Short mmCIF file of all heavy atoms in Angstrom, two decimals:
data_model
loop_
_atom_site.label_atom_id
_atom_site.label_comp_id
_atom_site.label_asym_id
_atom_site.label_seq_id
_atom_site.Cartn_x
_atom_site.Cartn_y
_atom_site.Cartn_z
N VAL A 1027 -2.11 14.32 2.03
CA VAL A 1027 -1.14 13.23 2.06
C VAL A 1027 -1.89 11.97 2.48
O VAL A 1027 -2.84 12.03 3.26
CB VAL A 1027 0.04 13.54 3.02
CG1 VAL A 1027 -0.42 13.67 4.45
CG2 VAL A 1027 1.15 12.51 2.88
N THR A 1028 -1.45 10.84 1.93
CA THR A 1028 -2.11 9.57 2.20
C THR A 1028 -1.22 8.68 3.05
O THR A 1028 -0.02 8.57 2.79
CB THR A 1028 -2.43 8.85 0.88
OG1 THR A 1028 -3.30 9.67 0.11
CG2 THR A 1028 -3.09 7.50 1.10
N PHE A 1029 -1.83 8.03 4.05
CA PHE A 1029 -1.17 7.01 4.85
C PHE A 1029 -2.11 5.80 4.88
O PHE A 1029 -3.10 5.80 5.63
CB PHE A 1029 -0.89 7.50 6.27
CG PHE A 1029 0.13 8.59 6.34
CD1 PHE A 1029 -0.26 9.90 6.57
CD2 PHE A 1029 1.48 8.31 6.16
CE1 PHE A 1029 0.68 10.92 6.64
CE2 PHE A 1029 2.43 9.33 6.22
CZ PHE A 1029 2.03 10.63 6.45
N GLY A 1030 -1.84 4.80 4.07
CA GLY A 1030 -2.70 3.63 4.01
C GLY A 1030 -4.09 4.01 3.55
O GLY A 1030 -4.28 4.53 2.45
N HIS A 1031 -5.08 3.75 4.38
CA HIS A 1031 -6.47 4.09 4.06
C HIS A 1031 -6.93 5.36 4.77
O HIS A 1031 -8.11 5.53 5.04
CB HIS A 1031 -7.38 2.91 4.40
CG HIS A 1031 -7.21 1.76 3.46
ND1 HIS A 1031 -6.28 0.77 3.66
CD2 HIS A 1031 -7.81 1.48 2.29
CE1 HIS A 1031 -6.33 -0.09 2.66
NE2 HIS A 1031 -7.26 0.32 1.81
N VAL A 1032 -5.98 6.22 5.07
CA VAL A 1032 -6.26 7.51 5.70
C VAL A 1032 -5.66 8.61 4.83
O VAL A 1032 -4.51 8.53 4.42
CB VAL A 1032 -5.66 7.59 7.12
CG1 VAL A 1032 -5.82 8.98 7.72
CG2 VAL A 1032 -6.30 6.55 8.03
N VAL A 1033 -6.46 9.63 4.55
CA VAL A 1033 -5.97 10.80 3.82
C VAL A 1033 -6.11 12.01 4.74
O VAL A 1033 -7.18 12.25 5.31
CB VAL A 1033 -6.75 11.03 2.51
CG1 VAL A 1033 -6.25 12.27 1.79
CG2 VAL A 1033 -6.65 9.81 1.59
N LEU A 1034 -5.02 12.74 4.89
CA LEU A 1034 -5.00 13.95 5.70
C LEU A 1034 -4.96 15.13 4.76
O LEU A 1034 -4.10 15.19 3.87
CB LEU A 1034 -3.76 13.97 6.60
CG LEU A 1034 -3.51 12.74 7.47
CD1 LEU A 1034 -2.17 12.85 8.17
CD2 LEU A 1034 -4.64 12.56 8.47
N GLY A 1035 -5.87 16.08 4.92
CA GLY A 1035 -5.92 17.25 4.06
C GLY A 1035 -5.98 18.52 4.86
O GLY A 1035 -6.43 18.53 6.01
N ARG A 1036 -5.54 19.62 4.22
CA ARG A 1036 -5.61 20.92 4.91
C ARG A 1036 -7.04 21.33 5.16
O ARG A 1036 -7.37 21.89 6.20
CB ARG A 1036 -4.91 21.99 4.07
CG ARG A 1036 -3.42 21.81 3.98
CD ARG A 1036 -2.76 22.95 3.27
NE ARG A 1036 -3.35 23.13 1.95
CZ ARG A 1036 -2.72 23.64 0.90
NH1 ARG A 1036 -1.48 24.06 1.03
NH2 ARG A 1036 -3.32 23.76 -0.25
N SER A 1037 -7.92 21.05 4.20
CA SER A 1037 -9.32 21.46 4.33
C SER A 1037 -10.19 20.46 3.57
O SER A 1037 -9.68 19.66 2.78
CB SER A 1037 -9.53 22.86 3.74
OG SER A 1037 -9.33 22.81 2.33
N LEU A 1038 -11.49 20.53 3.78
CA LEU A 1038 -12.41 19.68 3.04
C LEU A 1038 -12.33 19.99 1.55
O LEU A 1038 -12.37 19.08 0.72
CB LEU A 1038 -13.84 19.84 3.57
CG LEU A 1038 -14.89 18.95 2.92
CD1 LEU A 1038 -14.53 17.48 3.04
CD2 LEU A 1038 -16.26 19.22 3.55
N ALA A 1039 -12.19 21.26 1.22
CA ALA A 1039 -12.07 21.64 -0.20
C ALA A 1039 -10.83 21.01 -0.83
O ALA A 1039 -10.87 20.52 -1.96
CB ALA A 1039 -12.04 23.17 -0.34
N ASP A 1040 -9.71 21.01 -0.09
CA ASP A 1040 -8.49 20.38 -0.61
C ASP A 1040 -8.70 18.88 -0.80
O ASP A 1040 -8.24 18.30 -1.79
CB ASP A 1040 -7.31 20.63 0.33
CG ASP A 1040 -6.77 22.05 0.23
OD1 ASP A 1040 -6.74 22.60 -0.88
OD2 ASP A 1040 -6.39 22.60 1.28
N LEU A 1041 -9.37 18.24 0.14
CA LEU A 1041 -9.65 16.81 0.00
C LEU A 1041 -10.51 16.54 -1.22
O LEU A 1041 -10.25 15.58 -1.96
CB LEU A 1041 -10.31 16.27 1.27
CG LEU A 1041 -9.40 16.14 2.49
CD1 LEU A 1041 -10.22 15.88 3.74
CD2 LEU A 1041 -8.37 15.06 2.29
N ASN A 1042 -11.51 17.37 -1.44
CA ASN A 1042 -12.37 17.19 -2.61
C ASN A 1042 -11.58 17.33 -3.91
O ASN A 1042 -11.81 16.59 -4.86
CB ASN A 1042 -13.53 18.18 -2.59
CG ASN A 1042 -14.54 17.86 -1.49
OD1 ASN A 1042 -14.68 16.72 -1.07
ND2 ASN A 1042 -15.24 18.88 -1.03
N CYS A 1043 -10.64 18.27 -3.94
CA CYS A 1043 -9.84 18.50 -5.16
C CYS A 1043 -8.81 17.41 -5.40
O CYS A 1043 -8.46 17.14 -6.55
CB CYS A 1043 -9.13 19.85 -5.07
SG CYS A 1043 -10.23 21.26 -5.19
N THR A 1044 -8.29 16.82 -4.35
CA THR A 1044 -7.18 15.86 -4.48
C THR A 1044 -7.62 14.40 -4.35
O THR A 1044 -6.78 13.51 -4.46
CB THR A 1044 -6.09 16.14 -3.42
OG1 THR A 1044 -6.65 15.97 -2.12
CG2 THR A 1044 -5.51 17.54 -3.57
N ARG A 1045 -8.90 14.17 -4.13
CA ARG A 1045 -9.37 12.82 -3.81
C ARG A 1045 -8.95 11.77 -4.84
O ARG A 1045 -8.45 10.69 -4.49
CB ARG A 1045 -10.89 12.80 -3.64
CG ARG A 1045 -11.40 11.45 -3.12
CD ARG A 1045 -12.85 11.53 -2.67
NE ARG A 1045 -12.93 12.32 -1.44
CZ ARG A 1045 -13.62 13.45 -1.31
NH1 ARG A 1045 -14.31 13.92 -2.34
NH2 ARG A 1045 -13.64 14.10 -0.16
N ALA A 1046 -9.12 12.02 -6.11
CA ALA A 1046 -8.78 11.03 -7.14
C ALA A 1046 -7.28 10.71 -7.08
O ALA A 1046 -6.88 9.54 -7.18
CB ALA A 1046 -9.18 11.52 -8.52
N HIS A 1047 -6.45 11.73 -6.93
CA HIS A 1047 -5.00 11.55 -6.83
C HIS A 1047 -4.64 10.72 -5.59
O HIS A 1047 -3.86 9.77 -5.66
CB HIS A 1047 -4.32 12.93 -6.78
CG HIS A 1047 -2.85 12.88 -6.59
ND1 HIS A 1047 -1.98 12.96 -7.65
CD2 HIS A 1047 -2.08 12.79 -5.48
CE1 HIS A 1047 -0.73 12.90 -7.20
NE2 HIS A 1047 -0.77 12.80 -5.88
N GLU A 1048 -5.23 11.06 -4.46
CA GLU A 1048 -4.92 10.36 -3.22
C GLU A 1048 -5.42 8.92 -3.24
O GLU A 1048 -4.80 8.04 -2.64
CB GLU A 1048 -5.47 11.13 -2.01
CG GLU A 1048 -4.91 12.53 -1.84
CD GLU A 1048 -3.39 12.61 -1.76
OE1 GLU A 1048 -2.75 11.68 -1.22
OE2 GLU A 1048 -2.83 13.60 -2.26
N LEU A 1049 -6.51 8.65 -3.95
CA LEU A 1049 -6.99 7.28 -4.06
C LEU A 1049 -6.02 6.40 -4.84
O LEU A 1049 -5.94 5.19 -4.60
CB LEU A 1049 -8.39 7.24 -4.68
CG LEU A 1049 -9.51 7.73 -3.77
CD1 LEU A 1049 -10.84 7.74 -4.52
CD2 LEU A 1049 -9.61 6.88 -2.51
N VAL A 1050 -5.27 6.98 -5.76
CA VAL A 1050 -4.21 6.22 -6.43
C VAL A 1050 -3.17 5.82 -5.40
O VAL A 1050 -2.69 4.68 -5.40
CB VAL A 1050 -3.57 7.03 -7.59
CG1 VAL A 1050 -2.39 6.28 -8.19
CG2 VAL A 1050 -4.61 7.34 -8.67
N HIS A 1051 -2.83 6.73 -4.49
CA HIS A 1051 -1.87 6.39 -3.43
C HIS A 1051 -2.43 5.31 -2.50
O HIS A 1051 -1.69 4.45 -2.04
CB HIS A 1051 -1.48 7.63 -2.63
CG HIS A 1051 -0.65 8.60 -3.39
ND1 HIS A 1051 0.45 8.25 -4.14
CD2 HIS A 1051 -0.75 9.96 -3.53
CE1 HIS A 1051 0.98 9.31 -4.69
NE2 HIS A 1051 0.26 10.37 -4.33
N VAL A 1052 -3.73 5.33 -2.24
CA VAL A 1052 -4.34 4.26 -1.43
C VAL A 1052 -4.10 2.92 -2.12
O VAL A 1052 -3.70 1.95 -1.48
CB VAL A 1052 -5.85 4.52 -1.19
CG1 VAL A 1052 -6.52 3.29 -0.58
CG2 VAL A 1052 -6.07 5.74 -0.32
N ARG A 1053 -4.34 2.86 -3.43
CA ARG A 1053 -4.11 1.61 -4.16
C ARG A 1053 -2.63 1.21 -4.15
O ARG A 1053 -2.29 0.03 -4.08
CB ARG A 1053 -4.63 1.73 -5.59
CG ARG A 1053 -6.15 1.79 -5.66
CD ARG A 1053 -6.69 1.66 -7.06
NE ARG A 1053 -6.26 2.69 -7.97
CZ ARG A 1053 -6.85 3.87 -8.14
NH1 ARG A 1053 -7.92 4.17 -7.40
NH2 ARG A 1053 -6.39 4.74 -9.01
N GLN A 1054 -1.73 2.22 -4.18
CA GLN A 1054 -0.30 1.93 -4.08
C GLN A 1054 0.02 1.30 -2.72
O GLN A 1054 0.79 0.35 -2.64
CB GLN A 1054 0.52 3.19 -4.30
CG GLN A 1054 0.47 3.70 -5.73
CD GLN A 1054 1.08 5.08 -5.89
OE1 GLN A 1054 1.23 5.84 -4.93
NE2 GLN A 1054 1.43 5.42 -7.12
N TYR A 1055 -0.57 1.83 -1.66
CA TYR A 1055 -0.38 1.24 -0.33
C TYR A 1055 -0.90 -0.19 -0.31
O TYR A 1055 -0.32 -1.06 0.33
CB TYR A 1055 -1.11 2.05 0.75
CG TYR A 1055 -0.29 3.13 1.40
CD1 TYR A 1055 -0.37 4.44 0.96
CD2 TYR A 1055 0.54 2.84 2.47
CE1 TYR A 1055 0.36 5.44 1.57
CE2 TYR A 1055 1.29 3.83 3.09
CZ TYR A 1055 1.20 5.13 2.64
OH TYR A 1055 1.93 6.12 3.24
N GLU A 1056 -2.01 -0.44 -0.98
CA GLU A 1056 -2.56 -1.79 -1.01
C GLU A 1056 -1.62 -2.75 -1.74
O GLU A 1056 -1.62 -3.94 -1.44
CB GLU A 1056 -3.94 -1.79 -1.66
CG GLU A 1056 -5.00 -1.12 -0.79
CD GLU A 1056 -6.36 -1.05 -1.45
OE1 GLU A 1056 -6.47 -1.29 -2.67
OE2 GLU A 1056 -7.33 -0.73 -0.73
N ARG A 1057 -0.85 -2.25 -2.69
CA ARG A 1057 0.13 -3.09 -3.39
C ARG A 1057 1.41 -3.25 -2.60
O ARG A 1057 1.97 -4.33 -2.52
CB ARG A 1057 0.46 -2.48 -4.76
CG ARG A 1057 -0.44 -2.97 -5.85
CD ARG A 1057 -0.03 -2.43 -7.20
NE ARG A 1057 -1.14 -1.61 -7.67
CZ ARG A 1057 -1.10 -0.32 -7.92
NH1 ARG A 1057 0.02 0.33 -7.85
NH2 ARG A 1057 -2.16 0.32 -8.30
N TRP A 1058 1.93 -2.14 -2.07
CA TRP A 1058 3.25 -2.11 -1.43
C TRP A 1058 3.20 -2.40 0.07
O TRP A 1058 4.22 -2.74 0.66
CB TRP A 1058 3.91 -0.76 -1.68
CG TRP A 1058 4.39 -0.59 -3.07
CD1 TRP A 1058 3.65 -0.24 -4.16
CD2 TRP A 1058 5.72 -0.76 -3.54
NE1 TRP A 1058 4.44 -0.18 -5.27
CE2 TRP A 1058 5.73 -0.49 -4.92
CE3 TRP A 1058 6.91 -1.11 -2.92
CZ2 TRP A 1058 6.86 -0.57 -5.69
CZ3 TRP A 1058 8.06 -1.18 -3.68
CH2 TRP A 1058 8.03 -0.92 -5.06
N GLY A 1059 2.06 -2.20 0.69
CA GLY A 1059 1.91 -2.45 2.12
C GLY A 1059 2.93 -1.70 2.95
O GLY A 1059 3.17 -0.50 2.73
N PRO A 1060 3.57 -2.38 3.90
CA PRO A 1060 4.50 -1.70 4.80
C PRO A 1060 5.77 -1.19 4.09
O PRO A 1060 6.54 -0.44 4.68
CB PRO A 1060 4.86 -2.77 5.84
CG PRO A 1060 4.55 -4.06 5.18
CD PRO A 1060 3.43 -3.80 4.21
N PHE A 1061 5.95 -1.57 2.84
CA PHE A 1061 7.13 -1.13 2.09
C PHE A 1061 6.88 0.18 1.34
O PHE A 1061 7.81 0.73 0.75
CB PHE A 1061 7.58 -2.22 1.11
CG PHE A 1061 7.90 -3.51 1.80
CD1 PHE A 1061 7.03 -4.58 1.71
CD2 PHE A 1061 9.04 -3.65 2.57
CE1 PHE A 1061 7.29 -5.78 2.37
CE2 PHE A 1061 9.33 -4.84 3.23
CZ PHE A 1061 8.45 -5.90 3.12
N PHE A 1062 5.64 0.68 1.34
CA PHE A 1062 5.35 1.88 0.57
C PHE A 1062 6.15 3.09 1.04
O PHE A 1062 6.80 3.76 0.24
CB PHE A 1062 3.84 2.21 0.59
CG PHE A 1062 3.54 3.47 -0.18
CD1 PHE A 1062 3.42 3.44 -1.55
CD2 PHE A 1062 3.42 4.70 0.46
CE1 PHE A 1062 3.17 4.61 -2.28
CE2 PHE A 1062 3.17 5.86 -0.24
CZ PHE A 1062 3.04 5.81 -1.62
N ILE A 1063 6.09 3.39 2.33
CA ILE A 1063 6.79 4.59 2.83
C ILE A 1063 8.29 4.48 2.60
O ILE A 1063 8.88 5.42 2.04
CB ILE A 1063 6.44 4.88 4.31
CG1 ILE A 1063 4.97 5.29 4.42
CG2 ILE A 1063 7.35 5.96 4.88
CD1 ILE A 1063 4.46 5.44 5.85
N PRO A 1064 8.95 3.36 2.93
CA PRO A 1064 10.39 3.28 2.63
C PRO A 1064 10.68 3.39 1.13
O PRO A 1064 11.65 4.06 0.73
CB PRO A 1064 10.80 1.92 3.17
CG PRO A 1064 9.77 1.56 4.17
CD PRO A 1064 8.50 2.21 3.72
N ALA A 1065 9.86 2.76 0.29
CA ALA A 1065 10.09 2.82 -1.16
C ALA A 1065 9.91 4.25 -1.68
O ALA A 1065 10.71 4.74 -2.48
CB ALA A 1065 9.14 1.87 -1.90
#
């Protein structure tokens, strides 16, 4: 799961597998800022 510029993963392997997907969420946070979580 992504929170701003922080990604929390169950394991390093999970982070490696989901990194590209989670980086899209990082960019979404950069667009939406504090409104991302409510949106």
Side-chain angles (χ1 to χ4, degrees):
V1027 63
T1028 300
F1029 293 105
H1031 289 88
V1032 173
V1033 179
L1034 307 173
R1036 291 186 304 208
S1037 67
L1038 183 57
D1040 285 322
L1041 288 168
N1042 290 334
C1043 290
T1044 62
R1045 188 168 290 119
H1047 176 96
E1048 299 305 326
L1049 287 176
V1050 175
H1051 291 312
V1052 169
R1053 290 191 299 274
Q1054 291 170 340
Y1055 268 97
E1056 289 177 347
R1057 270 184 243 119
W1058 287 80
F1061 302 106
F1062 179 81
I1063 293 173

